[in-house]
Amino acid sequence: MSTLQSLSEEQLSARLGVLEAAYEDYKSRGLKLDMSRGKPGPEQLELSMKLLDTVDSQTGAKTLKGEETRNYGMLDGIPEMKDMFADVLGVESANVIVGGNSSLNLMFDYISQAYSHGVCGHPAWCREEKVKFLCPAPGYDRHFAVTEYFGIELIAVDMTENGPDMDQVERLAADPQVKGIWCVPMYSNPDGITYSDETVRRLCGMKTGAPDFRIMWDNAYGLHHLTDTPDQLLNVYETAKACGNEDRVMLFASTSKISFPGAGVAAMAGSPANIADVKNRLSFETIGYDKLNMLRHARYFGNADGLREHYKQHAAVIRPKFKAVLESLEMHLGGKGIARWKTPNGGYFVSVFLLDGCAKETVRLLKEAGVVMTGAGATYPYGKDPRDSNIRIAPTYPSLDEVRTAIDMFCVCAELACVRKLLAGR
Amino acid sequence: MSTLQSLSEEQLSARLGVLEAAYEDYKSRGLKLDMSRGKPGPEQLELSMKLLDTVDSQTGAKTLKGEETRNYGMLDGIPEMKDMFADVLGVESANVIVGGNSSLNLMFDYISQAYSHGVCGHPAWCREEKVKFLCPAPGYDRHFAVTEYFGIELIAVDMTENGPDMDQVERLAADPQVKGIWCVPMYSNPDGITYSDETVRRLCGMKTGAPDFRIMWDNAYGLHHLTDTPDQLLNVYETAKACGNEDRVMLFASTSKISFPGAGVAAMAGSPANIADVKNRLSFETIGYDKLNMLRHARYFGNADGLREHYKQHAAVIRPKFKAVLESLEMHLGGKGIARWKTPNGGYFVSVFLLDGCAKETVRLLKEAGVVMTGAGATYPYGKDPRDSNIRIAPTYPSLDEVRTAIDMFCVCAELACVRKLLAGR
């Protein structure tokens, strides 16, 4: 396969005709497909149904240690779930707060706390002249949106195969107005990249201008392996502690993509000072999160190994969908010099980089033909991909057949957009 | 029974001896009782156990309209629960947001929103020189604490038999720095007072200095009747709307004391402008609250009448406890001129006013004898009861026998504190 760039104008025009015909054909089918969000599919939702049977009128609602879960109280969660998340996040149970059904909510609330009150005795961010946050991009749009909501300036940092470009991060973090960085350290959204040990060490050890710099460590896909040879991630809390920077890192995780997206259990962890800080706020904020749902999870999964084992069932369901996406990309776009992507070992996405200036047009073409993708640019701060190149593919929600159709259409639309771009440049 | 004030010093001293002997006797028993928080008792927790059977691996998890509850989405809750809370709060379903397990959390988050972003386009409160909030007192300590947490100045307003003293409220609300008022309009915490129609009308119709003045209408006990002739509360939203002040009122409720304190469902309601405002924030804050738990409640209770009917079982359990408290108060403190209280028609508390300067001492004596009460003063802003008079009695959690013992001890300690006070004043 020769690259499209090496084709003559005549050859390109011929190819354009083929692609346009294929596109019109797809369009005429009146399809309605959605590969926009990282949502588990219906088949995955069935995998945890027995979890709902673990707490009912017959079982009662006491923890293993005999504690009542139905009433008010236990601000930081039931012991079983603290233990489970301690294992998941690589911290001690005492440094875990088990929350409600949304880790995004815990992150939002932490940024909200920093904004209105400050963290660990530092000044409230709303009293600072300007606050900035580092956003490795492409990244998770909802992360960027949280900081944008609080008027924080978003600074894009390039992603590399090893995580955020640490030279950039170290340079930018020297600015005292830069208060933190968003990280999805394992199977990153959307690239599927796992931070290298060196990246973790540099993040934990670097000098920061702000004494209250925070690494928002959203380990959303920490157990979400697709292969039997999963990536490995260094223990960030231990690393930060060894550097004397244990207050720098706030960790988050949830079972949303292991039990139920709408009714999972989320948790956060951090240093004793950070956890005391958050608990103080929590004591004003609620009388306690839903402990009955924690109990369901504790009884069903038992411990973190139970979560890991259970996720293998999810992997079995979604692996063929990832395979279909990757095979189609290779088959239709491989070697053409217009697209690159990475085969992720886990997580929820395949991230495709097209010729500069072709992402928006590809998404537009797909939408017109009935396939909804994550908006081009959504993976960058302020929704603006400076190269208009990246598209996030979320293959989990549609059925395997739908994925196959949608990704074939994606390839046609992507190549169509790129051919037109190349022809326009001749 | 003559009042203690009318007794001679000799008679008082004799009474003191009797009380001290009784107190020492109680103390020697080594009791451990708790009447401090408005927590349902274990018997009440059993009443809703069948709710847990309504969603399991056999029932599936679709709403009546066939919508999926296990996945992400439905930011404002499932339709059935929006309808249920619309009825409870007297608003339209479209103006309801169904939340997680904590109405306190919804209130906290609303104040947090006002602080960091402002409401309905008004300036953020954190940018104002000073913000004040009206706190009808005695009132709910956790309400006061939320506003105190955000550095808002708390201004006590006297409670009357008809709700907050509206002459005071109207005068204070003219100050543009006064941004709102906390209200528990039905069976108020702790007095059990239901706001009169006139109070509701004046709250809704009064002129406020602040255009973004908010009535935080926590209808926590709206369905929580203890008698067959319940109090009646005017529809605050319709009243505010009729006054052209529909944006002024934010309504809150939950099933915490109907299903489970730790795993109920909370909701908020307000004008279209307010709800749009909150939904915008929510879209950054979470992908959705726990819809499986909403579904359990929808299936178990059906509608608001189901909630009302179910509460009668709670009333049957706790009515004897309230009766025991009120009978003991009447028997031991009635006519002595040292205590007054109201017989509530609903809610969770009996509020007792002792001779000025005797509340703290009474709570101290009780604690020393093994009975934990809500801290004296807790029902006032900053925890300071200017007259040191009010004590909140929460009779629901202990068993009936324990309530009987604890309230008898309360009466001994209260009279003991008052007699000592009177003797010291001779």
Side-chain angles (χ1 to χ4, degrees):
Chain A
M1 171 69 62
S2 47
T3 66
L4 295 189
Q5 288 86 342
S6 68
L7 298 185
S8 69
E9 187 161 344
E10 201 170 277
Q11 287 171 314
L12 269 183
S13 296
R15 185 70 191 154
L16 181 65
V18 172
L19 291 164
E20 282 178 341
Y23 179 66
E24 289 308 320
D25 182 50
Y26 275 124
K27 224 166 113 175
S28 68
R29 293 201 217 163
L31 297 165
K32 276 201 167 186
L33 302 171
D34 191 334
M35 292 215 297
S36 69
R37 302 298 315 178
K39 269 171 84 164
E43 203 181 333
Q44 288 175 268
L45 299 178
E46 295 300 321
L47 297 175
S48 304
M49 286 304 281
K50 296 269 181 207
L51 179 150
L52 301 175
D53 302 342
T54 58
V55 179
D56 65 19
S57 61
Q58 300 309 306
T59 63
K62 297 256 165 83
T63 67
L64 285 177
K65 289 165 190 163
E67 291 174 283
E68 175 63 68
T69 60
R70 296 168 296 181
N71 224 322
Y72 292 120
M74 285 205 252
L75 195 59
D76 55 355
I78 69 173
E80 288 92 332
M81 288 307 286
K82 292 181 67 173
D83 290 349
M84 195 184 292
F85 279 111
D87 182 335
V88 168
L89 291 168
V91 299
E92 303 208 356
S93 292
N95 296 338
V96 173
I97 294 172
V98 187
N101 73 326
S102 164
S103 57
L104 181 67
N105 190 240
L106 296 177
M107 291 179 249
F108 178 97
D109 206 58
Y110 189 76
I111 298 294
S112 182
Q113 168 175 358
Y115 184 82
S116 65
H117 287 73
V119 291
C120 295
H122 295 282
W125 293 359
C126 69
R127 303 293 168 211
E128 308 262 0
E129 198 190 329
K130 191 173 200 55
V131 174
K132 304 170 187 168
F133 227 79
L134 304 184
C135 302
Y140 181 34
D141 53 352
R142 289 184 187 271
H143 282 168
F144 303 161
V146 166
T147 26
E148 189 180 355
Y149 175 76
F150 285 98
I152 294 167
E153 184 180 321
L154 312 183
I155 302 177
V157 169
D158 292 330
M159 278 294 282
T160 75
E161 282 296 297
N162 297 312
D165 182 320
M166 285 307 301
D167 291 340
Q168 291 179 33
V169 169
E170 285 168 350
R171 185 173 47 75
L172 291 161
D175 177 354
Q177 295 185 330
V178 170
K179 292 292 193 182
I181 183 170
W182 286 110
C183 296
V184 182
M186 193 150 191
Y187 307 133
S188 68
N189 176 350
D191 290 329
I193 288 166
T194 298
Y195 291 14
S196 70
D197 292 359
E198 196 205 340
T199 297
V200 177
R201 284 197 195 98
R202 287 174 72 178
L203 278 168
C204 292
M206 69 185 177
K207 281 200 177 161
T208 64
D212 53 349
F213 186 97
R214 287 293 180 273
I215 301 171
M216 295 291 282
W217 194 258
D218 180 8
N219 203 357
Y221 308 104
L223 309 181
H224 303 55
H225 313 300
L226 284 168
T227 77
D228 296 332
T229 51
D231 293 355
Q232 300 293 325
L233 179 67
L234 200 62
N235 183 315
V236 71
Y237 183 68
E238 288 303 324
T239 307
K241 202 171 160 187
C243 298
N245 291 326
E246 65 185 286
D247 291 345
R248 181 179 294 178
V249 57
M250 294 300 301
L251 300 92
F252 302 89
S254 82
T255 69
S256 294
K257 293 186 175 79
I258 304 176
S259 59
F260 299 112
V265 176
M268 67 195 300
S271 69
N274 274 317
I275 291 304
D277 203 33
V278 173
K279 274 193 201 165
N280 173 59
R281 176 181 174 89
L282 269 184
S283 72
F284 293 94
E285 200 165 2
T286 182
I287 313 180
Y289 289 106
D290 183 342
K291 297 183 298 297
L292 275 180
N293 204 36
M294 294 183 202
L295 185 62
R296 283 182 199 101
H297 284 73
R299 285 181 176 171
Y300 188 62
F301 294 113
N303 53 36
D305 283 336
L307 289 174
R308 291 182 185 102
E309 198 55 34
H310 186 79
Y311 195 77
K312 290 179 184 169
Q313 297 181 54
H314 286 274
V317 172
I318 64 178
R319 205 181 290 118
K321 297 180 180 179
F322 277 82
K323 193 161 167 271
V325 166
L326 293 160
E327 282 177 357
S328 178
L329 289 173
E330 188 56 43
M331 166 90 79
H332 300 299
L333 301 180
K336 290 187 176 169
I338 55 169
R340 63 183 172 84
W341 61 90
K342 178 187 182 310
T343 297
N345 285 327
Y348 252 59
F349 306 101
V350 175
S351 174
V352 177
F353 295 86
L354 299 175
L355 274 192
D356 287 4
C358 291
K360 270 193 187 153
E361 175 62 7
T362 299
V363 170
R364 190 193 67 76
L365 287 167
L366 279 163
K367 190 174 178 188
E368 212 164 281
V371 181
V372 180
M373 306 290 296
T374 310
T379 51
Y380 287 79
Y382 305 112
K384 285 177 195 152
D385 175 356
R387 297 170 53 189
D388 184 26
S389 160
N390 183 249
I391 297 179
R392 183 181 86 165
I393 296 173
T396 54
Y397 188 73
S399 70
L400 183 53
D401 275 349
E402 290 171 333
V403 168
R404 285 196 177 112
T405 306
I407 191 64
D408 287 353
M409 288 174 71
F410 171 85
C411 291
V412 166
C413 293
E415 188 176 350
L416 180 53
C418 290
V419 167
R420 282 179 178 160
K421 180 88 183 171
L422 288 171
L423 279 168
R426 291 284 164 101
Chain B
M1 172 69 62
S2 47
T3 65
L4 295 189
Q5 288 86 342
S6 69
L7 298 185
S8 68
E9 188 161 345
E10 202 170 276
Q11 287 171 313
L12 269 183
S13 294
R15 185 70 191 154
L16 181 66
V18 171
L19 291 164
E20 284 178 339
Y23 178 67
E24 289 306 321
D25 182 49
Y26 275 124
K27 225 165 112 174
S28 69
R29 293 203 217 162
L31 297 164
K32 276 203 167 183
L33 302 171
D34 190 334
M35 292 216 295
S36 69
R37 301 299 314 180
K39 269 170 84 164
E43 204 181 331
Q44 290 175 267
L45 299 178
E46 294 301 320
L47 297 175
S48 303
M49 286 304 280
K50 295 270 183 208
L51 179 150
L52 302 175
D53 301 342
T54 59
V55 179
D56 65 19
S57 62
Q58 300 309 306
T59 65
K62 297 256 164 82
T63 67
L64 285 177
K65 289 164 189 161
E67 291 175 284
E68 175 63 68
T69 61
R70 296 168 296 180
N71 224 321
Y72 292 120
M74 285 204 254
L75 195 59
D76 54 356
I78 69 173
E80 289 91 331
M81 288 308 285
K82 290 180 69 173
D83 291 348
M84 195 183 294
F85 278 112
D87 183 335
V88 168
L89 291 169
V91 298
E92 303 207 358
S93 292
N95 296 337
V96 173
I97 293 172
V98 187
N101 73 325
S102 165
S103 59
L104 180 68
N105 190 240
L106 296 177
M107 292 179 247
F108 178 97
D109 205 58
Y110 189 76
I111 297 295
S112 182
Q113 169 174 356
Y115 183 82
S116 65
H117 287 74
V119 292
C120 294
H122 294 282
W125 294 359
C126 69
R127 302 296 167 209
E128 309 262 1
E129 198 190 328
K130 191 172 198 58
V131 174
K132 304 170 186 167
F133 228 79
L134 304 185
C135 301
Y140 181 34
D141 53 351
R142 289 185 187 270
H143 282 168
F144 303 162
V146 166
T147 26
E148 190 181 353
Y149 176 76
F150 284 98
I152 294 168
E153 184 180 321
L154 312 183
I155 302 178
V157 170
D158 291 331
M159 277 296 281
T160 75
E161 283 297 297
N162 298 311
D165 182 320
M166 285 308 300
D167 291 341
Q168 291 179 33
V169 169
E170 285 167 351
R171 185 172 48 75
L172 291 162
D175 176 354
Q177 295 185 331
V178 171
K179 292 291 193 182
I181 183 171
W182 287 110
C183 296
V184 182
M186 193 149 192
Y187 308 132
S188 67
N189 176 351
D191 290 329
I193 288 167
T194 298
Y195 291 14
S196 70
D197 292 359
E198 197 205 339
T199 298
V200 176
R201 283 195 195 99
R202 288 174 73 177
L203 278 168
C204 292
M206 68 185 178
K207 281 199 177 164
T208 63
D212 53 348
F213 186 98
R214 287 293 181 273
I215 300 172
M216 295 292 283
W217 194 257
D218 180 8
N219 204 357
Y221 307 105
L223 310 181
H224 303 54
H225 313 300
L226 283 169
T227 77
D228 296 332
T229 52
D231 293 355
Q232 300 293 326
L233 179 68
L234 200 62
N235 183 315
V236 71
Y237 183 68
E238 288 303 324
T239 307
K241 203 172 160 185
C243 298
N245 291 326
E246 65 185 285
D247 291 345
R248 182 180 293 179
V249 56
M250 294 301 301
L251 301 90
F252 302 88
S254 81
T255 70
S256 294
K257 292 185 176 80
I258 304 176
S259 57
F260 299 111
V265 177
M268 67 194 300
S271 68
N274 274 318
I275 291 303
D277 203 34
V278 173
K279 273 192 201 165
N280 173 58
R281 176 180 174 89
L282 269 184
S283 72
F284 293 95
E285 202 165 359
T286 181
I287 312 180
Y289 289 107
D290 183 343
K291 296 184 298 297
L292 276 180
N293 204 37
M294 295 183 202
L295 184 63
R296 283 182 198 101
H297 283 72
R299 286 182 175 169
Y300 187 62
F301 294 114
N303 53 34
D305 282 337
L307 289 174
R308 291 183 185 101
E309 199 54 35
H310 187 79
Y311 196 76
K312 290 179 184 168
Q313 296 181 53
H314 285 274
V317 172
I318 65 178
R319 205 181 290 118
K321 297 179 181 181
F322 277 83
K323 194 160 166 272
V325 166
L326 292 160
E327 282 177 357
S328 179
L329 289 173
E330 189 55 43
M331 166 89 80
H332 300 298
L333 301 181
K336 290 188 176 167
I338 55 169
R340 63 184 172 83
W341 61 89
K342 177 188 183 309
T343 297
N345 285 327
Y348 252 59
F349 305 101
V350 176
S351 172
V352 177
F353 295 87
L354 300 175
L355 275 192
D356 287 2
C358 291
K360 269 193 188 155
E361 175 62 6
T362 298
V363 170
R364 190 192 66 76
L365 287 167
L366 279 162
K367 191 175 178 187
E368 212 164 281
V371 181
V372 179
M373 306 291 295
T374 309
T379 52
Y380 287 79
Y382 305 113
K384 284 178 196 153
D385 175 357
R387 297 170 54 190
D388 184 24
S389 160
N390 183 250
I391 297 180
R392 182 181 87 165
I393 296 174
T396 54
Y397 188 72
S399 71
L400 183 54
D401 276 350
E402 289 172 333
V403 168
R404 286 197 177 111
T405 305
I407 191 64
D408 287 352
M409 288 175 71
F410 171 85
C411 292
V412 166
C413 292
E415 189 177 349
L416 181 54
C418 291
V419 167
R420 283 180 177 159
K421 180 87 183 171
L422 288 170
L423 279 168
R426 292 285 165 100

